[in-house]
Amino acid sequence: MFRWSSRFAFLAVSALGLQPSMAPAADDTKIARGEYLVTIGGCNDCHTPGYFFGKPDSSRFLGGSDVGFEIPGKGVFVGSNITPDKETGIGSWTMEQIVTAIQTGQRPDGRALAPIMPWHAFARLTEDDVTSIAAFLQNLKPVSHQVPGPFKPGEKVSTFMFRILPPGETAAAAPN
């Protein structure tokens, strides 16, 4: 009996194009590839608190920045929480919605990602690479951290920010 059931299981797995010992490793490989791409892509820079102060908070890795970018005429944008936290992160996004956001700059709610997000560069990633990134993000430890903003031009900002000025503009005086 065992002989027939093991043959049947082998045939079923083979029909799906999987190798019995490789099925779980494929997910681990995809997640590891995603981690590698997130690392070399510098996602940590804009999405981890403390990074811009020289002390990234690894306990809140990719949990949203504490520094925003001011873009003239657009406002101030803070790197969002891209952990799978359902309330403050991307935990309610599907794999396909994460892939779409990375490659087109469109959020599931139809809004555009912040202009500082380099999705144009990520649009050139292969399907395997972008799904690996999404798999990695979905497998992170969720971090509950609501980032402030975005802030419209003229609104009071509640976080540190980098100011991006076009050539010929004058840098703002330091606050007193």
Side-chain angles (χ1 to χ4, degrees):
M1 183 66 159
F2 174 75
R3 193 180 214 175
W4 280 102
S5 60
S6 62
R7 283 184 187 163
F8 177 76
F10 178 77
L11 288 173
V13 170
S14 296
L16 293 173
L18 302 173
Q19 295 175 0
S21 63
M22 299 284 285
D27 287 341
D28 291 344
T29 301
K30 190 172 224 36
I31 292 166
R33 174 77 177 162
E35 180 179 18
Y36 168 74
L37 293 166
V38 162
T39 301
I40 65 167
C43 302
N44 177 58
D45 303 2
C46 294
H47 293 279
T48 299
Y51 179 84
F52 292 117
F53 297 110
K55 295 182 180 182
D57 183 350
S58 61
S59 70
R60 297 190 297 160
F61 180 67
L62 300 178
S65 188
D66 47 6
V67 175
F69 289 89
E70 180 184 28
I71 301 173
K74 303 274 185 188
V76 176
F77 303 89
V78 180
S80 61
N81 180 345
I82 57 173
T83 71
D85 184 69
K86 291 199 183 286
E87 299 298 319
T88 64
I90 61 171
S92 62
W93 295 19
T94 66
M95 168 102 41
E96 293 77 22
Q97 290 170 327
I98 296 169
V99 167
T100 297
I102 292 170
Q103 292 196 305
T104 70
Q106 285 295 124
R107 297 168 42 98
D109 62 10
R111 294 184 331 195
L113 296 177
I116 198 74
M117 173 65 184
W119 68 265
H120 293 89
F122 299 143
R124 297 187 177 263
L125 290 170
T126 66
E127 190 68 22
D128 187 52
D129 282 349
V130 77
T131 57
S132 294
I133 291 170
F136 172 69
L137 295 177
Q138 288 181 322
N139 281 279
L140 286 170
K141 177 189 84 158
V143 174
S144 179
H145 176 231
Q146 183 65 52
V147 300
F151 302 95
K152 296 178 184 166
E155 283 187 328
K156 189 172 196 145
V157 177
S158 63
T159 187
F160 285 94
M161 69 175 180
F162 287 116
R163 178 168 277 155
I164 300 170
L165 296 173
E169 290 290 324
T170 303
N176 293 331

